[in-house]
Amino acid sequence: MMIDAAEAAADDDDIDSDDDSEDEDDLADVPDTREFTPLDLEGLHAMGIGGGKSGGDEGYTLEDLQNMTMNNDDLNEEEDDEEEDEDDIDDIKIRDQDALILVAKAEEDFASLEINVFDTEYNNLYVHHDIPLPSFPLCLALGSVVGSYQSNENDGITAGNYVAIGSFEPGIEIWNLDVMNALEPTLVLGGMDTRGSEEEWMRMQMPVSTSANGGGKKKKKKKNKKKDTAGGLREGSHTDAVMSLSWNTVHQQVLASGSADGTVKLWDCTHSTSGKKGDYIRPSATLTHHTDKVQSLAWHPSEGTLLATGGYDRRVCLADARSTDSQSVKTAKLLADCEAIAWDPHNQQYLTVASEDGVVQCWDVRKFGGDPVWSMIAHEYGGVSDMSYNAHVPGMLLTCSIDKTVALWDTLNPSPKPTPCGSKDMNVGRLHSVSCYPSSPWLLACGGSGNEIAIWDVEGEDSIQKRFAGRTSGDANVATSNIEEEEPDVDFEAVMAAGDDQATSKALEGMNKSKKKKGKKGKKVHKRK
């Protein structure tokens, strides 16, 4: 039985070997049908390939050709990179037809300032760049002249495009809009005093003295110094959130700020009171005529010392910035908290005030404190959150509300109140701000609670064009102000640079001299009683 099994296994091995041999024989018998292109060496040499010679010139080897191909690829990549760089430069380039829109946004725990570009030719809107902010923003103001901590041939004073930002923090940050990817603001007014923090940190890293008596004295001294130099607010700073800002259009380095602490401060953004390099700027004057939060501010368009303020004490005030005396402030009462203030650029004696109950009123500041020239309910539900006059179209007033609409009004001949000219739901949520494009009479923008902006080109609105188109002819002819301002005996800019105490004394002295010279002349708006 065992022999039979072995024989069977041997027979199987013979069968397998026979099959393998048959397979090998089958593969060997298959003819090779592949076709090869014959190599023409003379032709390659004639083209300078393969290391031969043609006409006495050495040819290129295959390695040389490979290197040449790689170099061509590098050149193509460099050309592509150059094209991409040109495209990037083209994307950030600001053209004449571009409109810039500044948007302060807050999303959950992140706040930023976006610089948007609207191409008025192709109606394209995109974000040019943005700036991260340390706190939720509340107000913005555009300016052109500031001083920086870095000295130059102009003693640190530079002209450009700047934006001042007020937030829930007591400090005011001023950013340079001409610089992309800026790491820090150009200037900070007020806020936390961070001087000495770096020295204190270095001092804390030093080893403590081994002497018991000396070490105890040094430790106590260190605590006192830390209390004086760190952890507090800068001298003259607001003590609460900054709710309103306004840059002076006449004295372009002067910025006014209103705060939830009830004060209005005036800042000379080019002057440091101590004169030391790197020292911070202190306010030039502090006005305390409000008893509650100061919600809105507006400098007069042409009278550089006249400031209008409105607050949650339900008062709108006219203050002479040359004096911090509350007795020189004229006031008018409101029925609700003030939300926005605007001067009519075409009739500069008119001051318009909007309140949270939806009422908009206009006063002639020559008779300020009495009855308004006109009054109307602009938005019955939700109140008025912001308003703006059109600098190119006389009589065109814009208002917006948390009812999500923008309304247009004709205030040129109010009898007895402005004429409504239409409204529109902007579809961006509750509206917080509205403004007109200063380079075009028919373009306006607004921002809403949906963290989006909406742009309305009213040039295509037939009813609006029918009423307002005839009032524009190129650049708008701005009516001259009917407010007569006395020539101050002291330079207002010098007063701003002098500080709180000196500003008050000099301003009062100058105003008293003006009184004696002019005698019983007609009373002026900013004149101290």
Side-chain angles (χ1 to χ4, degrees):
M1 296 293 292
M2 294 178 63
I3 297 172
D4 293 339
E7 291 178 354
D11 293 339
D12 292 339
D13 293 338
D14 293 339
I15 293 171
D16 292 338
S17 61
D18 292 341
D19 292 339
D20 293 339
S21 61
E22 289 177 0
D23 292 340
E24 292 176 357
D25 293 341
D26 293 340
L27 292 175
D29 294 340
V30 174
D32 187 3
T33 59
R34 294 178 295 176
E35 296 181 358
F36 297 94
T37 302
L39 185 62
D40 186 1
L41 294 177
E42 294 182 358
L44 292 174
H45 294 164
M47 292 186 293
I49 301 175
K53 296 183 179 180
S54 177
D57 297 329
E58 293 186 359
Y60 298 106
T61 64
L62 295 177
E63 184 179 358
D64 294 337
L65 290 178
Q66 185 178 5
N67 293 334
M68 292 173 62
T69 305
M70 294 177 62
N71 292 335
N72 288 333
D73 292 340
D74 293 340
L75 292 175
N76 293 333
E77 291 179 0
E78 291 179 359
E79 292 178 357
D80 293 339
D81 293 339
E82 290 179 358
E83 291 179 359
E84 291 179 0
D85 293 340
E86 291 179 358
D87 292 339
D88 293 340
I89 295 174
D90 190 62
D91 289 339
I92 64 175
K93 184 178 181 181
I94 304 298
R95 299 172 179 81
D96 294 336
Q97 70 268 21
D98 290 341
L100 298 184
I101 306 172
L102 299 183
V103 181
K105 300 179 65 175
E107 300 178 3
E108 296 182 356
D109 57 348
F110 177 74
S112 64
L113 175 70
E114 287 185 354
I115 293 84
N116 291 261
V117 174
F118 178 68
D119 189 342
T120 58
E121 183 177 356
Y122 299 102
N123 293 336
N124 293 328
L125 178 66
Y126 61 93
V127 179
H128 188 267
H129 65 280
D130 62 352
I131 299 172
L133 300 177
S135 181
F136 290 159
L138 295 175
C139 54
L140 303 174
L142 291 175
S144 58
V145 179
V146 301
S148 64
Y149 297 125
Q150 298 177 355
S151 60
N152 54 26
E153 65 269 11
N154 297 323
D155 295 329
I157 300 174
T158 56
N161 297 302
Y162 298 92
V163 59
I165 303 175
S167 65
F168 281 98
E169 298 295 330
I172 304 168
E173 293 187 344
I174 299 179
W175 291 83
N176 188 349
L177 298 177
D178 297 328
V179 177
M180 291 186 62
N181 302 321
L183 298 178
E184 61 182 8
T186 304
L187 198 63
V188 178
L189 306 176
M192 299 299 295
D193 188 359
T194 57
R195 293 183 308 169
S197 58
E198 183 176 351
E199 291 81 358
E200 182 67 22
W201 180 85
M202 295 177 63
R203 202 179 300 116
M204 291 173 63
Q205 306 305 313
M206 297 175 62
V208 181
S209 174
T210 55
S211 173
N213 295 333
K217 291 181 181 178
K218 287 184 179 179
K219 187 174 183 180
K220 187 175 181 181
K221 191 173 182 180
K222 187 192 299 183
K223 284 186 178 179
N224 292 337
K225 190 162 187 180
K226 181 178 180 181
K227 191 178 294 184
D228 293 338
T229 58
L233 295 174
R234 291 177 174 179
E235 181 183 350
S237 170
H238 285 296
T239 58
D240 209 333
V242 179
M243 303 177 64
S244 52
L245 294 168
S246 179
W247 224 303
N248 198 312
T249 56
V250 178
H251 309 283
Q252 298 183 11
Q253 76 276 19
V254 177
L255 176 70
S257 61
S259 172
D261 61 12
T263 64
V264 176
K265 293 184 180 292
L266 308 181
W267 308 82
D268 184 349
C269 296
T270 61
H271 184 75
S272 176
T273 54
S274 67
K276 296 179 181 179
K277 180 181 178 182
D279 198 10
Y280 58 81
I281 294 176
R282 295 164 177 80
S284 301
T286 300
L287 310 179
T288 58
H289 52 273
H290 281 287
T291 59
D292 207 338
K293 300 178 180 67
V294 182
Q295 168 64 22
S296 52
L297 297 169
W299 287 101
H300 191 275
S302 59
E303 309 295 344
T305 61
L306 187 60
L307 178 65
T309 64
Y312 285 177
D313 55 1
R314 298 188 175 184
R315 293 191 306 156
V316 58
C317 304
L318 283 176
D320 185 349
R322 296 170 297 179
S323 172
T324 57
D325 187 2
S326 299
Q327 299 298 325
S328 64
V329 177
K330 291 190 175 184
T331 63
K333 294 183 179 180
L334 303 174
L335 297 178
D337 294 344
C338 177
E339 289 291 337
I341 290 177
W343 293 92
D344 188 339
H346 306 282
N347 295 282
Q348 296 181 0
Q349 73 274 19
Y350 289 149
L351 176 66
T352 308
V353 181
S355 52
E356 68 172 356
D357 59 356
V359 175
V360 179
Q361 303 177 80
C362 178
W363 277 273
D364 187 337
V365 295
R366 296 169 298 183
K367 304 174 184 178
F368 192 70
D371 295 333
V373 176
W374 53 260
S375 177
M376 67 174 180
I377 299 177
H379 297 267
E380 188 173 356
Y381 303 102
V384 179
S385 53
D386 196 15
M387 63 180 175
S388 176
Y389 276 99
N390 193 320
H392 293 275
V393 184
M396 180 184 283
L397 174 66
L398 310 174
T399 61
C400 70
S401 171
I402 61 175
D403 64 4
K404 306 178 182 180
T405 63
V406 171
L408 274 70
W409 308 87
D410 186 358
T411 64
L412 191 60
N413 295 306
S415 56
K417 58 184 181 180
T419 305
C421 302
S423 63
K424 184 176 182 179
D425 189 339
M426 304 306 293
N427 297 317
V428 289
R430 294 172 295 177
L431 301 181
H432 300 308
S433 62
V434 65
S435 61
C436 296
Y437 182 40
S439 299
S440 172
W442 310 119
L443 203 61
L444 62 93
C446 59
S449 59
N451 272 338
E452 294 180 352
I453 59 175
I455 298 175
W456 186 10
D457 188 354
V458 298
E459 189 174 7
E461 305 289 343
D462 294 337
S463 59
I464 296 175
Q465 290 298 309
K466 185 177 180 181
R467 176 173 289 272
F468 293 105
R471 301 182 188 179
T472 60
S473 57
D475 294 332
N477 296 322
V478 178
T480 58
S481 172
N482 292 326
I483 304 175
E484 297 179 10
E485 182 185 18
E486 298 174 4
E487 291 296 329
D489 290 348
V490 293
D491 185 3
F492 175 65
E493 297 185 6
V495 170
M496 288 292 97
D500 284 357
D501 298 333
Q502 296 183 20
T504 303
S505 59
K506 287 188 177 181
L508 291 175
E509 181 182 355
M511 294 173 69
N512 290 332
K513 289 181 180 180
S514 298
K515 269 189 177 181
K516 293 179 181 179
K517 289 182 180 179
K518 297 198 174 185
K520 296 183 179 181
K521 244 183 175 180
K523 292 182 179 179
K524 307 302 185 287
V525 172
H526 57 272
K527 190 172 181 180
R528 183 171 177 263
K529 291 182 179 180

